[in-house]
Amino acid sequence: MSHSLTILFFLRTSKTNPTTGEAPVYIRMTVASQRAEISAKRSVLPSRWEGGAGKVKGTKEDARTLNTYLDTLRAKLNKQFNQLLSGDEPVTAELLKNAFLNKVAPSKSIMEVLDYHNAQVAARVGTDYAPATLRRYRVGLKKVKLFMKQQYQRTDMPLDQLNRRFITEFEHFLKTVEGIQHNTAMNYIKYLKKTVLLALSYEWLDKNPFVGIKHSIREVTREFLSTEELARMVEKPFSIRRLDEVRDIFVFSCYTGYAYADVLKLTPDHILTGINGKKWIMTQRIKTETRSNVPLLPPALAILAKYAQDPECLAKERLLPVKSNQKMNAYLKEVADMCGITKPLTFHIARHTFATTVTLTNGVPIETVSSMLGHKNLRTTQIYAKVVEHKVGEDMDRLEERLAKPAVPTNSLRELSA
């Protein structure tokens, strides 16, 4: 960190008073190539200002008075700067500005803001946030802490040091040192941005370091079960109870589109009669806080009937005996092996299967699918439509290959034409 201070007095002509014609005098402080500006609380006619020298022209009384005042400000700034240098905290232009204006330097640190944000989310789990969201934010906090420890040899830093360079280097750290894929890294960046916006709203931070920084999510191929794979899983008998239950819950999600967190919360009160006189599930998605009303297809109804008198479900007032997400995904791997499914099965694949194999592939309009999935934006659902289009393309390519092969041997064609 450079220990030099440059002070420049200049006119801010963009703020010229239309009545008097005078422009305000501003002070620009530069420390280690970083700038901060404050008003000198004085104004002067631009014609009387000597820009190169940073003072008022002439020797008249008012000119001498104003120039003396500016010299006093320069001396005070230099004194304040030297006092800050004697402290332990790195001196920045913004720190000097705050100290000179008798403001308390930002007392919040990066970790304090992240902790504050996560504590607010923790208090609203079950109402506004899902437990998985809190877990993701806590992992994000750990990633930021690891980054600061490696990059700056510190476990915390002043909030005003969270700048554009910090963000860029954090992304680099996630992708190289942590080996995290692009989209996952973007989720951690979004978490950091969310806490920055919180700090700005509470005026703990003066500037938004994310201004001008764009981060985009890359499209990924959504894995889902084909019709044949889904049928294989439905028809597979299981002698182990836990695997039978996990298979049933997974298949239920394949026919309703509900994510793990939503299936976990389902109670008998969520089963209502829909506009068509049949049974529907009517609930609100935890993740997006949107309505997700889904008519119950026969396979889903059969699974609910199977567990209607299950002791565990009755005791917990739940529709299905859902295990922890970790156990569900672990058991699903066993289910996949026993069904001969080689895809890396996770519970969320059931939601993808509902969107593609069960609905879109069978001609259900995308607007209807979007409503049942509880998506806020149709563009989110269009990701699945692209997957279906890709599958259609592959099927048509295979058809084209079959059609290209002669149905009758060439010699036979010659004989027929003779």
Side-chain angles (χ1 to χ4, degrees):
M1 176 71 70
S2 172
H3 289 174
S4 63
L5 166 66
T6 302
I7 299 171
L8 171 69
F9 294 96
F10 67 100
L11 290 191
R12 178 144 288 169
T13 54
S14 60
K15 294 188 176 182
T16 299
N17 187 314
T19 303
T20 64
E22 293 183 338
V25 180
Y26 267 71
I27 311 168
R28 177 178 295 152
M29 299 158 287
T30 305
V31 180
S33 301
Q34 293 183 344
R35 295 176 174 179
E37 296 175 356
I38 57 175
S39 171
K41 307 297 182 182
R42 296 290 188 275
S43 298
V44 67
L45 290 170
S47 60
R48 298 187 63 194
W49 183 255
E50 190 175 340
K55 64 179 184 179
V56 185
K57 299 175 184 176
T59 57
K60 290 183 178 181
E61 181 66 27
D62 62 339
R64 290 200 306 271
T65 300
L66 181 50
N67 287 334
T68 300
Y69 170 74
L70 296 180
D71 288 339
T72 302
L73 291 181
R74 185 188 300 275
K76 287 182 178 180
L77 280 168
N78 279 308
K79 181 180 179 181
Q80 186 72 64
F81 179 70
N82 290 327
Q83 287 176 348
L84 291 172
L85 285 177
S86 63
D88 297 328
E89 191 173 353
V91 181
T92 64
E94 195 68 25
L95 185 67
L96 174 60
K97 169 186 171 180
N98 290 330
F100 182 73
L101 295 175
N102 294 320
K103 289 183 179 178
V104 178
S107 57
K108 295 293 182 184
S109 69
I110 293 173
M111 294 306 297
E112 282 178 320
V113 176
L114 296 179
D115 281 329
Y116 179 83
H117 168 272
N118 288 5
Q120 283 198 323
V121 172
R124 291 155 63 186
V125 166
T127 54
D128 298 327
Y129 296 96
T133 303
L134 177 60
R135 287 195 296 271
R136 189 166 64 249
Y137 286 159
R138 285 174 172 168
V139 173
L141 182 147
K142 290 179 181 178
K143 297 296 182 188
V144 176
K145 193 171 185 177
L146 282 172
F147 163 68
M148 289 191 293
K149 189 172 183 179
Q150 171 163 317
Q151 188 70 20
Y152 302 102
Q153 291 73 53
R154 302 168 68 175
T155 56
D156 202 358
M157 294 169 61
L159 184 59
D160 62 356
Q161 291 186 28
L162 201 168
N163 51 26
R164 189 186 187 96
R165 179 179 176 182
F166 185 103
I167 297 164
T168 303
E169 291 179 344
F170 179 49
E171 179 183 346
H172 180 74
F173 166 81
L174 291 172
K175 292 182 176 180
T176 56
V177 178
E178 293 291 291
I180 294 173
Q181 295 297 314
H182 175 82
N183 285 358
T184 305
M186 290 305 100
N187 285 331
Y188 290 129
I189 297 292
K190 284 169 64 178
Y191 162 66
L192 186 61
K193 184 176 182 179
K194 190 171 184 286
T195 58
V196 163
L197 294 176
L198 174 68
L200 287 166
S201 68
Y202 286 142
E203 298 183 351
W204 295 337
L205 196 61
D206 291 331
K207 296 180 181 178
N208 185 354
F210 278 91
V211 171
I213 297 179
K214 293 183 179 180
H215 293 101
S216 59
I217 298 295
R218 295 172 185 168
E219 282 191 16
V220 294
T221 301
R222 306 258 178 175
E223 202 71 80
F224 60 93
L225 296 186
S226 65
T227 302
E228 186 274 331
E229 288 169 330
L230 179 57
R232 206 187 311 163
M233 182 175 284
V234 170
E235 295 164 4
K236 177 71 177 178
F238 287 94
S239 58
I240 302 174
R241 180 179 174 83
R242 62 179 172 83
L243 297 183
D244 189 49
E245 290 177 348
V246 169
R247 183 273 310 273
D248 288 342
I249 296 167
F250 180 86
V251 170
F252 176 82
S253 186
C254 286
Y255 283 100
T256 59
Y258 282 107
Y260 169 82
D262 301 304
V263 174
L264 179 66
K265 299 293 184 181
L266 290 178
T267 71
D269 291 338
H270 291 124
I271 306 296
L272 300 170
T273 301
I275 195 170
N276 60 352
K278 297 182 179 180
K279 296 298 182 183
W280 289 45
I281 293 180
M282 297 187 180
T283 185
Q284 180 168 294
R285 285 209 70 204
I286 292 175
K287 181 178 179 181
T288 57
E289 300 179 15
T290 53
R291 299 298 301 176
S292 180
N293 300 333
V294 180
L296 285 166
L297 295 169
L301 282 168
I303 292 170
L304 290 181
K306 180 177 177 179
Y307 293 96
Q309 299 302 318
D310 181 84
E312 181 183 345
C313 293
L314 291 173
K316 295 182 179 179
E317 296 185 352
R318 293 286 185 261
L319 286 178
L320 296 168
V322 183
K323 308 292 187 293
S324 71
N325 198 20
Q326 185 177 7
K327 286 184 178 180
M328 291 287 290
N329 286 326
Y331 297 159
L332 272 175
K333 289 176 173 55
E334 294 183 58
V335 171
D337 290 339
M338 296 180 71
C339 292
I341 296 172
T342 58
K343 292 171 181 174
L345 218 58
T346 64
F347 196 87
H348 215 64
I349 287 179
R351 185 166 165 82
H352 301 330
T353 301
F354 173 78
T356 53
T357 304
V358 174
T359 56
L360 289 172
T361 301
N362 287 305
V364 178
I366 191 170
E367 295 82 3
T368 303
V369 176
S370 184
S371 174
M372 290 190 291
L373 290 173
H375 286 165
K376 286 184 175 181
N377 196 316
L378 188 62
R379 283 179 295 185
T380 307
T381 320
Q382 286 172 341
I383 295 171
Y384 297 108
K386 290 178 182 178
V387 172
V388 174
E389 288 171 6
H390 178 69
K391 181 179 181 300
V392 170
E394 289 180 342
D395 291 343
M396 292 303 290
D397 287 343
R398 285 193 289 270
L399 174 61
E400 186 177 343
E401 290 175 5
R402 289 197 294 270
L403 293 175
K405 296 177 182 178
V408 184
T410 306
N411 291 337
S412 300
L413 289 173
R414 291 199 188 101
E415 291 171 5
L416 289 171
S417 60

